[in-house]
Amino acid sequence: IVLTQSPGTLSLSPGERATLSCRASQSISSGYLAWYQHKPGQAPRLLIYGASTRATGIPDRFSGSGSETDFTLTINRLEPEDFAVYYCQEYGSSRTFGQGTKVEIK
Amino acid sequence: EVQLLGSGGGLVQPGGSLSLSCAASGFTSNNYAMSWVRQGPGQGLEWVAAIAAGGFAAWYADSVKVRFTISRDNSKNTLFLHMDSLRVDDTAMYYCAKGSTGHRPYYFDHWGQGILVTVSS
């Protein structure tokens, strides 16, 4: 399964909404899709699993949606600490990661 | 609190070998699958290898198959990655990652801080 994330870079201001897309080359069974946040010099952090379930401690401004081949990560009201690279991952069969979307400060 | 503390990185020449370790704490390691994930310079995350909770099965990305070996010592709560025949394109930050369960499917719910491996002459 190949995951294609778009856009490559998203330039936004704090307080705005970010909408990140992850498209799979074939249907992902049972919504086995996760989202991770990765900041330079830090370990990646799990945000969402099962396409829409927030991980422990993740603020509710982060939400995931989608099914089959089209998935979305939405970040409402961007906070300064949200500027990072975001990856989707299919974990049902291939463990494949998307190439990432960088959310940068405009 | 789950902690994953990696060690063992460094500079190695092409064709050389290197071993990485990841010491786990805060959970019963033999109940969870574990993986290694890497990020090359300017690149995204790439899954490298995974090992079952009991250590009796392992899986590898095509890019490292035959050259890398993942293993674990559950009595010492430690995960290993032994890398042979290293190539320049193996240069990356290597992360150990804890699976959410002991069996597939699992996502990675905790990650180590990263171990830098540089392959260069």
Coordinates of all heavy atoms in Angstrom, one line a residue, chain A residues 32 36 38 42-44 46 49 87 89 91-95 97, chain B residues 39 43-45 47 50 59 95 104-109 111-112:
Chain A
Y32 N -7.3 0.9 9.6 CA -6.0 0.8 10.3 C -5.0 1.9 9.8 O -4.0 1.6 9.2 CB -5.3 -0.6 10.1 CG -6.1 -1.7 10.8 CD1 -6.2 -2.9 10.1 CD2 -6.6 -1.6 12.0 CE1 -6.9 -4.0 10.7 CE2 -7.3 -2.6 12.7 CZ -7.5 -3.8 12.0 OH -8.1 -4.8 12.6
Y36 N 0.9 10.6 13.0 CA 2.0 11.0 14.0 C 2.5 12.4 13.7 O 2.5 12.9 12.6 CB 3.2 10.0 13.8 CG 2.9 8.6 14.0 CD1 2.5 7.8 12.9 CD2 3.0 8.0 15.2 CE1 2.2 6.5 13.1 CE2 2.7 6.6 15.4 CZ 2.3 5.9 14.3 OH 2.0 4.5 14.5
H38 N 5.8 14.9 14.2 CA 7.2 14.8 14.4 C 7.9 16.2 14.3 O 7.7 16.9 13.3 CB 7.9 13.9 13.3 CG 9.3 13.5 13.6 ND1 10.1 13.0 12.7 CD2 10.0 13.5 14.8 CE1 11.3 12.7 13.2 NE2 11.2 13.0 14.5
Q42 N 13.1 15.6 18.1 CA 12.3 14.9 19.1 C 11.8 13.5 18.5 O 11.9 13.3 17.3 CB 11.0 15.7 19.4 CG 11.3 17.0 20.1 CD 10.1 17.8 20.5 OE1 9.0 17.2 20.7 NE2 10.2 19.1 20.8
A43 N 11.3 12.7 19.4 CA 10.7 11.5 18.9 C 9.3 11.7 18.3 O 8.6 12.7 18.7 CB 10.5 10.5 20.1
P44 N 9.0 11.0 17.3 CA 7.6 11.1 16.8 C 6.6 10.8 17.9 O 6.9 10.1 18.8 CB 7.5 10.1 15.7 CG 8.9 9.9 15.2 CD 9.7 10.0 16.5
L46 N 2.5 9.8 18.6 CA 1.2 9.2 18.1 C 0.1 10.2 18.4 O -0.1 10.7 19.6 CB 0.9 7.9 18.8 CG -0.5 7.3 18.4 CD1 -0.6 6.9 17.0 CD2 -0.8 6.1 19.4
Y49 N -5.2 7.0 16.0 CA -5.1 5.6 15.5 C -6.6 5.2 15.2 O -7.5 5.9 15.6 CB -4.5 4.7 16.5 CG -5.2 4.5 17.8 CD1 -6.2 3.6 18.0 CD2 -4.9 5.4 18.9 CE1 -6.9 3.5 19.2 CE2 -5.6 5.3 20.1 CZ -6.6 4.4 20.3 OH -7.2 4.3 21.5
Y87 N 2.8 12.7 9.7 CA 2.8 11.5 8.9 C 1.6 10.6 9.1 O 1.2 10.4 10.3 CB 4.1 10.6 9.2 CG 5.4 11.3 8.9 CD1 6.1 12.0 9.9 CD2 6.0 11.2 7.7 CE1 7.3 12.6 9.6 CE2 7.2 11.7 7.4 CZ 7.8 12.5 8.4 OH 9.0 13.0 8.1
Q89 N 0.2 6.6 8.6 CA 0.8 5.3 8.5 C -0.3 4.3 8.4 O -1.3 4.3 9.2 CB 1.6 5.0 9.7 CG 2.3 3.6 9.6 CD 2.6 3.0 11.0 OE1 2.0 3.4 12.0 NE2 3.4 2.0 11.0
Y91 N -1.2 0.5 9.2 CA -0.6 -0.5 10.1 C -1.3 -1.8 10.1 O -1.0 -2.7 10.9 CB -0.5 0.0 11.5 CG -1.8 0.4 12.2 CD1 -2.5 -0.5 12.9 CD2 -2.2 1.7 12.2 CE1 -3.7 -0.1 13.6 CE2 -3.4 2.1 12.8 CZ -4.1 1.2 13.5 OH -5.3 1.6 14.1
G92 N -2.2 -2.0 9.2 CA -2.9 -3.3 9.1 C -2.1 -4.3 8.3 O -2.2 -5.5 8.7
S93 N -1.3 -3.9 7.3 CA -0.6 -4.9 6.5 C 0.8 -4.5 6.3 O 1.8 -5.3 6.5 CB -1.3 -5.2 5.2 OG -1.5 -4.0 4.5
S94 N 1.0 -3.3 5.8 CA 2.3 -2.9 5.3 C 3.2 -2.1 6.2 O 4.4 -2.0 6.0 CB 2.2 -2.1 4.0 OG 1.6 -0.9 4.2
R95 N 2.6 -1.5 7.2 CA 3.3 -0.5 8.1 C 3.9 0.7 7.3 O 4.7 1.4 7.9 CB 4.5 -1.2 8.8 CG 4.1 -2.5 9.6 CD 5.4 -3.0 10.3 NE 5.1 -4.2 11.1 CZ 5.3 -5.4 10.6 NH1 5.7 -5.6 9.3 NH2 5.1 -6.5 11.3
F97 N 4.5 4.3 5.8 CA 4.3 5.7 6.1 C 4.1 6.6 4.9 O 4.6 6.2 3.8 CB 5.5 6.3 6.9 CG 5.7 5.8 8.3 CD1 6.5 4.7 8.5 CD2 5.0 6.4 9.3 CE1 6.7 4.2 9.8 CE2 5.2 5.9 10.6 CZ 6.1 4.9 10.9
Chain B
Q39 N 14.8 7.6 9.8 CA 14.6 8.8 9.0 C 15.9 9.3 8.4 O 16.8 9.8 9.2 CB 13.9 9.9 9.8 CG 13.6 11.2 9.0 CD 13.0 12.3 9.9 OE1 13.3 12.5 11.0 NE2 12.1 13.1 9.2
Q43 N 14.5 13.2 4.7 CA 13.5 12.3 4.2 C 12.4 12.0 5.3 O 12.5 12.6 6.4 CB 14.2 11.0 3.9 CG 15.2 11.1 2.7 CD 15.8 9.8 2.3 OE1 15.3 8.7 2.7 NE2 16.7 9.8 1.4
G44 N 11.5 11.2 5.0 CA 10.4 10.9 5.9 C 10.7 9.7 6.7 O 11.8 9.1 6.6
L45 N 9.7 9.2 7.4 CA 9.9 8.0 8.2 C 9.8 6.8 7.4 O 9.0 6.7 6.5 CB 8.8 8.0 9.3 CG 8.8 9.1 10.3 CD1 7.6 9.0 11.3 CD2 10.1 9.2 11.1
W47 N 9.7 2.5 8.0 CA 9.7 1.4 8.8 C 10.9 0.4 8.4 O 11.1 0.2 7.2 CB 8.4 0.6 8.8 CG 8.5 -0.7 9.5 CD1 8.4 -0.9 10.8 CD2 8.6 -2.0 8.8 NE1 8.5 -2.3 11.0 CE2 8.6 -2.9 9.8 CE3 8.6 -2.4 7.5 CZ2 8.7 -4.3 9.6 CZ3 8.8 -3.7 7.2 CH2 8.8 -4.7 8.3
A50 N 10.6 -5.3 12.4 CA 9.7 -5.5 13.5 C 9.9 -6.9 14.1 O 10.4 -7.8 13.4 CB 8.2 -5.4 13.1
W59 N 10.2 -9.4 10.9 CA 9.9 -8.9 9.6 C 10.8 -7.7 9.2 O 11.2 -7.0 10.1 CB 8.4 -8.5 9.5 CG 7.5 -9.5 9.9 CD1 6.8 -10.4 9.1 CD2 7.0 -9.9 11.2 NE1 6.0 -11.3 9.8 CE2 6.1 -11.0 11.1 CE3 7.3 -9.4 12.5 CZ2 5.5 -11.6 12.2 CZ3 6.7 -10.0 13.6 CH2 5.8 -11.0 13.4
Y95 N 14.9 5.1 15.2 CA 14.0 5.2 16.3 C 13.5 3.8 16.7 O 13.1 3.0 15.8 CB 12.8 6.0 16.0 CG 13.1 7.5 15.7 CD1 13.2 7.9 14.4 CD2 13.2 8.4 16.8 CE1 13.5 9.3 14.2 CE2 13.5 9.7 16.5 CZ 13.7 10.1 15.2 OH 13.9 11.5 14.9
R104 N -0.3 -8.3 15.5 CA -0.8 -7.3 14.4 C -2.3 -7.4 14.4 O -2.9 -8.4 14.7 CB -0.2 -7.7 13.1 CG 1.3 -7.6 13.0 CD 1.8 -7.6 11.6 NE 1.4 -6.4 10.9 CZ 1.8 -6.1 9.7 NH1 2.4 -7.1 9.0 NH2 1.4 -5.0 9.1
P105 N -3.0 -6.2 14.1 CA -2.3 -5.0 13.7 C -2.0 -4.1 14.9 O -2.7 -4.1 15.9 CB -3.4 -4.3 12.9 CG -4.7 -4.8 13.5 CD -4.4 -6.2 14.0
Y106 N -0.9 -3.4 14.8 CA -0.6 -2.5 15.9 C 0.1 -1.2 15.3 O 0.7 -1.2 14.3 CB 0.4 -3.1 16.9 CG 1.7 -3.7 16.3 CD1 2.8 -2.9 16.0 CD2 1.8 -5.0 16.0 CE1 3.9 -3.4 15.4 CE2 2.9 -5.6 15.5 CZ 4.0 -4.7 15.2 OH 5.1 -5.3 14.6
Y107 N -0.2 -0.1 16.0 CA 0.4 1.2 15.7 C 1.5 1.4 16.7 O 1.7 0.6 17.6 CB -0.6 2.3 15.7 CG -1.5 2.3 16.9 CD1 -1.2 2.9 18.1 CD2 -2.7 1.6 16.9 CE1 -2.0 2.9 19.2 CE2 -3.6 1.5 18.0 CZ -3.2 2.2 19.1 OH -4.0 2.1 20.2
F108 N 2.3 2.5 16.5 CA 3.4 2.7 17.4 C 3.0 3.8 18.5 O 2.8 5.0 18.1 CB 4.6 3.2 16.6 CG 5.0 2.2 15.6 CD1 5.3 2.6 14.3 CD2 5.2 0.9 15.9 CE1 5.7 1.6 13.3 CE2 5.6 -0.1 15.0 CZ 5.8 0.3 13.7
D109 N 2.8 3.4 19.7 CA 2.3 4.3 20.7 C 3.3 5.0 21.5 O 3.0 6.0 22.2 CB 1.2 3.6 21.6 CG 1.8 2.4 22.3 OD1 3.0 2.2 22.3 OD2 1.0 1.7 23.0
W111 N 7.8 6.1 21.3 CA 9.0 6.1 20.5 C 10.2 6.5 21.3 O 10.0 7.3 22.2 CB 8.8 7.1 19.3 CG 7.7 6.9 18.3 CD1 6.4 6.9 18.6 CD2 7.9 6.6 16.9 NE1 5.7 6.6 17.4 CE2 6.6 6.4 16.4 CE3 9.0 6.5 16.1 CZ2 6.4 6.2 15.0 CZ3 8.8 6.2 14.7 CH2 7.5 6.0 14.2
G112 N 11.3 6.0 21.0 CA 12.6 6.4 21.6 C 13.0 7.7 21.0 O 12.5 8.2 20.0

